Amino acid sequence: MLVAVGPEELGRQLRRARQHLGLSLRDVHAVTAIPLVCLAALEEGDLAQLPSPVYARGYIRSYAEAMRLDGDRLALELWRCLEEAQVAASGGGHVAGPRPRGRAPVPPAQRVAAGPVPRQRARTTNGRRPSNLAPLRQPTSPWVPKPSRIRRMAPALERVAIAALLIVLAVGIWDLQRSRPVKKPQAPAQVAGASQTRDTTQNRAPASTPPPASTSSTTPVSDNGSLATYTTGRDRFAVMMQATDAPCWVQVRAGASGPVLFEGTLQPGEARPFDATRALWVRLGNLGHASVLVEGAALTLPNKPSFPYNLLLQT
């Protein structure tokens, strides 16, 4: 049994799903092409700011499917809310006045002479006024395609999906090959020069050598499409998380399966430091609006600005 919900509850469901994915309204606008004013009206449950019912239904379906929700169910609930709002605005009930149909009232004397009047069968409407949105129950808007059109478009959609999948796989393989370090062979002349230098230094007195510097890498040593791994070259290192120009949801753990050190949303310009030992696991909900610094050096983040991403910083 379906429980009727109001427009405010529909907006809260959309807002919670968006915040769970770590996206902003501008990110949803970039994916769905829905105006920002309409996105804000849907989340606030403000039906007066929405366009015609047909476009409002298409907007909430696209928004819900982008947030991995049941778009058909939310579109049906919004349609019911719009219909109830329009019925309430028109008066909410029948208005007393002259009857447009039926027979004229008969005087009592003529009624007795003519005999009993046959009783007409009343039309039942379950106590509700007929809806003014009845002509729109089968919209012809491009937001709601007909089943026959979907069947005709199915083969083309399958081919487009296969082509897109192949392109994504090719780009992922190319990105993985590009991020893998390449070992260059050492030239023979350099090898000979190094051996001569080693022979000459053996005859000299031993001198104190400086300690090796840290081998911190600002670019990922590996990236599988959802997890980028960086090496710091130190057992203990300092990490600074900062949101640049938009709110960014962050979760920080002590290692890939360690306890949660921080989980929350950083506002634009807000920074939070962390002291890590051997490994630190970070999940960013808005990768394009965040910066990560290790010992003061900014990391080169993957080119995935609108999707959540995982970072692993290790020794």
Side-chain angles (χ1 to χ4, degrees):
M1 180 178 180
L2 295 177
V3 179
V5 297
E8 293 82 3
E9 178 61 26
L10 294 178
R12 282 192 290 268
Q13 293 180 15
L14 293 173
R15 188 184 297 110
R16 284 195 298 266
R18 174 177 62 79
Q19 293 176 353
H20 179 71
L21 294 177
L23 301 177
S24 62
L25 285 179
R26 292 188 179 274
D27 296 332
V28 179
H29 167 70
V31 175
T32 62
I34 300 175
L36 291 173
V37 177
C38 296
L39 292 175
L42 287 174
E43 289 194 354
E44 296 296 333
D46 189 2
L47 303 181
Q49 299 295 329
L50 296 176
S52 63
V54 175
Y55 285 95
R57 186 177 181 181
Y59 286 165
I60 196 170
R61 178 183 287 111
S62 300
Y63 191 174
E65 290 177 353
M67 298 298 104
R68 303 173 185 174
L69 298 177
D70 190 353
D72 293 333
R73 180 183 65 81
L74 295 183
L76 182 60
E77 291 291 342
L78 181 64
W79 186 272
R80 182 189 58 77
C81 295
L82 291 172
E83 184 176 0
E84 291 179 355
Q86 187 163 355
V87 170
S90 62
H94 294 287
V95 181
R99 297 176 58 189
R101 297 182 181 179
R103 301 180 181 179
V106 181
Q110 297 180 7
R111 188 182 306 168
V112 174
V117 179
R119 187 176 181 181
Q120 295 182 356
R121 187 176 181 180
R123 180 181 301 174
T124 60
T125 59
N126 294 330
R128 294 190 302 177
R129 184 176 180 179
S131 173
N132 295 330
L133 301 177
L136 300 177
R137 293 192 181 279
Q138 296 295 334
T140 59
S141 171
W143 292 97
V144 185
K146 296 181 179 180
S148 58
R149 186 184 302 174
I150 295 178
R151 286 194 295 268
R152 291 196 303 267
M153 294 171 60
L157 292 177
E158 291 179 357
R159 291 193 292 269
V160 171
I162 293 174
L165 180 60
L166 293 177
I167 293 175
V168 171
L169 290 176
V171 172
I173 294 174
W174 175 76
D175 193 12
L176 183 62
Q177 293 292 337
R178 186 185 62 176
S179 61
R180 182 177 299 174
V182 179
K183 295 182 179 180
K184 297 182 179 180
Q186 191 175 7
Q190 296 178 356
V191 175
S195 61
Q196 293 177 2
T197 304
R198 186 166 53 251
D199 294 338
T200 55
T201 55
Q202 287 178 356
N203 298 327
R204 296 179 180 177
S208 60
T209 59
S214 62
T215 58
S216 177
S217 176
T218 59
T219 58
V221 296
S222 64
D223 190 351
N224 60 2
S226 63
L227 174 65
T229 303
Y230 298 82
T231 58
T232 61
R234 300 183 180 183
D235 290 339
R236 297 180 61 87
F237 50 91
V239 180
M240 178 70 69
M241 309 294 302
Q242 183 177 8
T244 56
D245 56 350
C248 181
W249 180 84
V250 179
Q251 185 184 49
V252 181
R253 292 176 177 270
S257 59
V260 177
L261 302 178
F262 173 77
E263 182 175 359
T265 301
L266 300 180
Q267 299 301 322
E270 182 180 359
R272 184 173 289 270
F274 298 95
D275 291 330
T277 302
R278 300 190 64 84
L280 190 71
W281 184 86
V282 180
R283 179 172 178 82
L284 296 174
N286 203 353
L287 193 63
H289 303 283
S291 65
V292 182
L293 285 76
V294 177
E295 295 294 335
L299 299 183
T300 302
L301 301 180
N303 189 16
K304 307 285 185 171
S306 299
F307 295 94
Y309 219 83
N310 300 323
L311 307 178
L312 180 59
L313 311 178
Q314 61 185 4
T315 304

